[in-house]
Amino acid sequence: MTTLTDATFVPPRIADNRRLIRIWLYVIAAMVMALVVVGGATRLTESGLSITEWKPIHGVVPPLSDTEWQEEFDLYRQIPQYQQINRGMALSEFKVIYWWEWSHRFLARSVGVAFALPLLFFWVTGRIEPWLKPRLVGLLALGGLQGGIGWWMVASGLVERTDVSQYRLAVHLTMACIILTATLWIARGLVNRPTERAPTDHSYLVGFLLVAMVLFQIYLGGLVAGLNAGLSYNTWPLMDGQVIPSNLLTMTPTWRNFFENPMTVQFVHRLGAYALLTVAILHAIAARRIAPGSHHARGATWLAVAVLAQAMIGITTLLMHVPIDAALMHQAGALVVLAGAVFHVRGLFGRYPVPAAA
């Protein structure tokens, strides 16, 4: 068994393999980000329930004839969304929402293939270090789990509801972001150059806190999207004409308000944004004072700028009553902020050590 050391020298063979795997993981991360944005468009266009069956293999082929299109349309006309909201929809209109959902699922399958096949190649050619193998297999397992969560989400809107459950939508979105986080974490650790040490032990804590806060804010955004909460209370900084709205806790039991009351969910999402921005700015100020001119201080500063820009995009999206282009920019911005937070804290740990046997 090899042990890991803090050796600064990376043998050329290992360095080349790590570079290839790092590039591959960055491509996967970019595909995941695109998948999340397409998923957001699917939600905004109310397209997510247009495909009513889960066909992981056969479903990669879209309808190719008028008969097949009519069969898919007939299946859609059996669910509550059509019967209560879209009754009378023409086949041409159905095709528009179908293509959004099909594109989302096709991209998800593409991510799986783009991960599994190179993983197999790197594995059989001996390019993956033993300690890295379980990490990559874990990513593959998370991807498979995410596919199941996606169908679990869609299934919630096929029987009694006219849309998917906001609980399941938020879980689906957050899991995608967890996969993105894990992918970037591993890729960032495969750099060949040494990195600066953290200025203080508290730097690690604040770095992890920022990642956790971004993930939680994205989860809250999933609830907002699931409830269409962004389509109401489109004023800022006041909400419903008040600093603290008076109807935040109208549901019983009280906990339901934080998941099912559109006003409460949007208000908590706003508070989450304020808290994240405050922590990011304070962290940047502290980093610049403790370690001026360091890579850590520059990263903290850019992260604070990204959070501020994302907050401004969010406010603009709200004031404009959530047009699809602004909403997708806001969703993409959240992914950029998450990536920045992950890179920032991961950089504090330096690259993965090289096995002593190497």
Side-chain angles (χ1 to χ4, degrees):
M1 178 182 296
T2 59
T3 59
L4 298 182
T5 69
D6 292 328
T8 58
F9 173 71
V10 181
R13 180 179 60 82
I14 292 180
D16 289 343
N17 290 338
R18 288 188 174 191
R19 180 178 61 84
L20 288 174
I21 294 173
R22 184 174 74 252
I23 293 172
W24 163 57
L25 290 177
Y26 282 148
V27 170
I28 294 298
M31 293 181 70
V32 171
M33 294 175 77
L35 177 60
V36 172
V37 173
V38 172
T42 301
R43 171 60 189 171
L44 289 166
T45 56
E46 301 289 346
S47 304
L49 298 178
S50 58
I51 301 179
T52 60
E53 296 178 328
W54 191 32
K55 301 176 181 177
I57 305 301
H58 178 66
V60 71
V61 181
L64 300 176
S65 66
D66 291 341
T67 300
E68 291 179 349
W69 273 114
Q70 190 61 50
E71 289 174 354
E72 291 290 340
F73 191 28
D74 289 342
L75 289 173
Y76 176 70
R77 291 194 294 183
Q78 296 175 20
I79 70 172
Q81 185 182 78
Y82 173 84
Q83 296 170 358
Q84 298 180 31
I85 298 178
N86 291 331
R87 181 176 290 275
M89 169 185 279
L91 178 59
S92 59
E93 296 173 306
F94 169 73
K95 288 181 179 181
V96 173
I97 63 174
Y98 183 95
W99 279 121
W100 272 116
E101 175 63 8
W102 183 87
S103 299
H104 182 56
R105 297 193 188 192
F106 180 79
L107 184 54
R109 293 182 176 98
S110 300
V111 173
V113 172
F115 191 91
L117 293 184
L119 174 62
L120 179 61
F121 170 76
F122 290 136
W123 197 298
V124 299
T125 56
R127 298 174 184 269
I128 305 176
E129 298 164 63
W131 60 267
L132 182 56
K133 290 180 179 179
R135 290 170 169 81
L136 297 179
V137 172
L139 284 179
L140 183 63
L142 285 177
L145 175 62
Q146 175 69 338
I149 292 174
W151 176 248
W152 174 65
M153 176 191 69
V154 170
S156 67
L158 298 179
V159 180
E160 298 178 353
R161 299 173 57 100
T162 59
D163 57 3
V164 300
S165 163
Q166 73 274 19
Y167 292 95
R168 302 187 187 188
L169 174 64
V171 170
H172 188 52
L173 173 61
T174 306
M175 177 56 72
C177 292
I178 289 173
I179 292 172
L180 176 64
T181 298
T183 303
L184 293 175
W185 184 275
I186 295 172
R188 180 64 178 80
L190 294 173
V191 296
N192 291 322
R193 64 182 185 277
T195 54
E196 300 172 352
R197 296 185 63 85
T200 71
D201 290 340
H202 296 294
S203 301
Y204 299 101
L205 178 62
V206 179
F208 279 121
L209 175 63
L210 284 166
V211 172
M213 292 181 72
V214 175
L215 285 172
F216 182 63
Q217 186 67 355
I218 289 173
Y219 172 79
L220 292 174
L223 292 178
V224 170
L227 291 170
N228 293 319
L231 298 178
S232 55
Y233 313 108
N234 300 96
T235 59
W236 187 86
L238 299 181
M239 183 174 178
D240 200 28
Q242 305 170 75
V243 175
I244 301 177
S246 57
N247 296 318
L248 292 175
L249 303 176
T250 56
M251 291 184 174
T252 55
T254 302
W255 65 265
R256 288 182 54 204
N257 290 277
F258 297 94
F259 299 94
E260 301 177 19
N261 185 335
M263 172 183 279
T264 309
V265 169
Q266 189 194 124
F267 182 69
V268 174
H269 189 53
R270 293 188 185 201
L271 294 182
Y274 301 150
L276 175 59
L277 180 59
T278 300
V279 173
I281 292 175
L282 292 177
H283 176 57
I285 294 173
R288 295 176 70 88
R289 288 182 176 178
I290 296 172
S294 66
H295 178 77
H296 175 70
R298 291 193 296 272
T301 301
W302 280 112
L303 180 57
V305 170
V307 174
L308 177 60
Q310 171 67 352
M312 294 174 64
I313 294 172
I315 293 169
T316 302
T317 302
L318 179 71
L319 295 178
M320 295 175 64
H321 292 258
V322 198
I324 186 170
D325 52 349
L328 293 180
M329 184 181 298
H330 186 51
Q331 187 160 6
L335 301 176
V336 172
V337 170
L338 177 60
V342 173
F343 279 134
H344 181 58
V345 68
R346 183 62 185 84
L348 300 177
F349 291 85
R351 65 189 176 198
Y352 285 117
V354 178

